[in-house]
Amino acid sequence: MMGWRGRIGFLVPPGNPTVEPEMQQLVPRGVSLHYTRMVAHGLTGAHAGQEDRNRTQIEHIPENVELLAMVKPGVIVMAHTATSYTLGKQGEAELVARMEKQYGIPFITAFGSVLAAFRHLGIERVAYATPYNEQTTLQGKAHLESYGMNVVAHGILPNVVNIYEETPERAYALGRQVDHPDAQALFLSGVGMPTVDAINLLERDLGKPVISSATAMMWNALRVIGVRDAAAEGGLLLSGTAGPMAARV
C-alpha cells in the first residue's frame, strides 16, 4: 500500500512548479505525497494580480479539499503562504476550523506551520525575506506581528519577473541580504521560490536557524501524521538538531 507510514495531501497553486520536487527532497521513506491544484486565473508567479489570485484560491478551497480528501491523507496542507496573508489571522483560523469540521482531516497551512516551527524553536525575533512585491511583503509582516512575532528586519528579492523562475542561489543571496544580528532566525516566505537547496548553506554561514515555508510545512505535516524521521536537507528544523532559541541574545 502506498503511504504505509502516512499520506500527506497538498493544495498547490496552479502554476507552481516548486512544491512537488522540494517535498520529494524532504519526504521520509514510507510517506506518500498527493497533490491537487488550486484554482486561480491570470499570469501565475507574477506580482501583478497576486491578491486577486489569492482570493480566487480561497473561494475554491472547499472543492479542492473535497477532491484531495478522496485519497484519505492523514493531513492536508495549504501550500501557499501568501494566501494566509490575504486571509488574515481570523480568516485563516476560520478556514482551518471549517475544513477540519467538514472533511474530518487535519488541515494546516504553510504559514501556520512556520508559526508552529517558531514556537517549537522558541523563536520570537525574525528576519523576514520574500520574493513578493512591497504590498504582499508588508501584508506578511503584519500577519507575523499579529501573532506576536518581532520582525526585526525585512526585505524583498530584487528584479523578480516571475517567482516560479527564481533559483536557490537567489534565495541564498536574499537571505544573506535580509539577515540581521538581532534576528534569532531567518524566515524565507513563499513556496514558489526554491529554498530547500539554500537552507543548509545559509544556516552554516549565518549561524542560526533558517525556516522556509517549504521546510516548515513538511516538518509540521510529518508531526501531524506521527512520523519523526530526520532529514539531511531542510536545515536544523528537519534534522531535529535545533534547540530552543528563546534564551539567546
Side-chain angles (χ1 to χ4, degrees):
M1 181 182 76
M2 298 303 296
W4 47 271
R5 295 178 76 191
R7 296 176 182 175
I8 303 173
F10 292 91
L11 301 174
V12 184
N16 186 309
T18 310
V19 168
E20 289 100 331
E22 290 207 320
M23 294 304 97
Q24 198 60 49
Q25 282 183 263
L26 300 174
V27 67
R29 181 172 176 265
V31 176
S32 60
L33 307 179
H34 308 273
Y35 305 92
T36 288
R37 296 279 160 174
M38 293 192 281
V39 177
H41 306 290
L43 181 60
T44 59
H47 287 163
Q50 176 71 69
E51 185 72 9
D52 290 339
R53 293 194 300 273
N54 292 353
R55 294 190 182 281
T56 302
Q57 289 176 170
I58 292 165
E59 180 183 349
H60 290 276
I61 280 175
E63 65 200 71
N64 296 149
V65 171
E66 182 178 9
L67 292 173
L68 197 50
M70 293 179 182
V71 81
K72 297 180 173 59
V75 62
I76 291 176
V77 186
M78 186 179 76
H80 192 240
T81 323
T83 294
S84 292
Y85 302 161
T86 297
L87 282 163
K89 185 176 182 178
Q90 182 176 344
E92 184 171 11
E94 289 174 351
L95 174 67
V96 169
R98 188 168 73 252
M99 292 302 97
E100 292 187 339
K101 180 179 180 181
Q102 186 168 350
Y103 296 102
I105 298 170
F107 184 90
I108 63 176
T109 68
F111 180 82
S113 299
V114 171
L115 290 177
F118 289 158
R119 289 192 294 268
H120 174 71
L121 298 175
I123 290 166
E124 299 174 348
R125 304 186 307 276
V126 298
Y128 166 57
T130 89
Y132 312 136
N133 61 17
E134 183 177 10
Q135 176 186 349
T136 303
T137 298
L138 292 178
Q139 272 186 319
K141 180 176 181 289
H143 201 43
L144 285 163
E145 291 169 343
S146 75
Y147 286 91
M149 297 302 301
N150 183 1
V151 181
V152 299
H154 69 280
I156 299 170
L157 186 67
N159 304 316
V160 173
V161 175
N162 189 303
I163 293 170
Y164 300 150
E165 296 173 0
E166 289 302 335
T167 65
E169 291 81 5
R170 290 255 290 166
Y172 173 90
L174 174 64
R176 292 295 298 261
Q177 166 197 324
V178 175
D179 183 43
H180 189 279
D182 291 341
Q184 296 167 298
L186 171 69
F187 169 36
L188 297 173
S189 182
V191 297
M193 176 179 67
T195 59
V196 170
D197 288 339
I199 298 287
N200 288 356
L201 296 174
L202 275 169
E203 288 189 336
R204 190 179 309 156
D205 294 341
L206 299 180
K208 65 184 63 174
V210 177
I211 310 299
S212 76
S213 299
T215 58
M217 68 185 185
M218 175 56 81
W219 168 81
N220 198 21
L222 291 173
R223 287 201 318 163
V224 171
I225 65 171
V227 173
R228 306 298 180 189
D229 284 25
E233 298 181 87
L236 296 170
L237 180 66
L238 280 162
S239 72
T241 58
M245 296 282 158
R248 298 188 185 182
V249 176

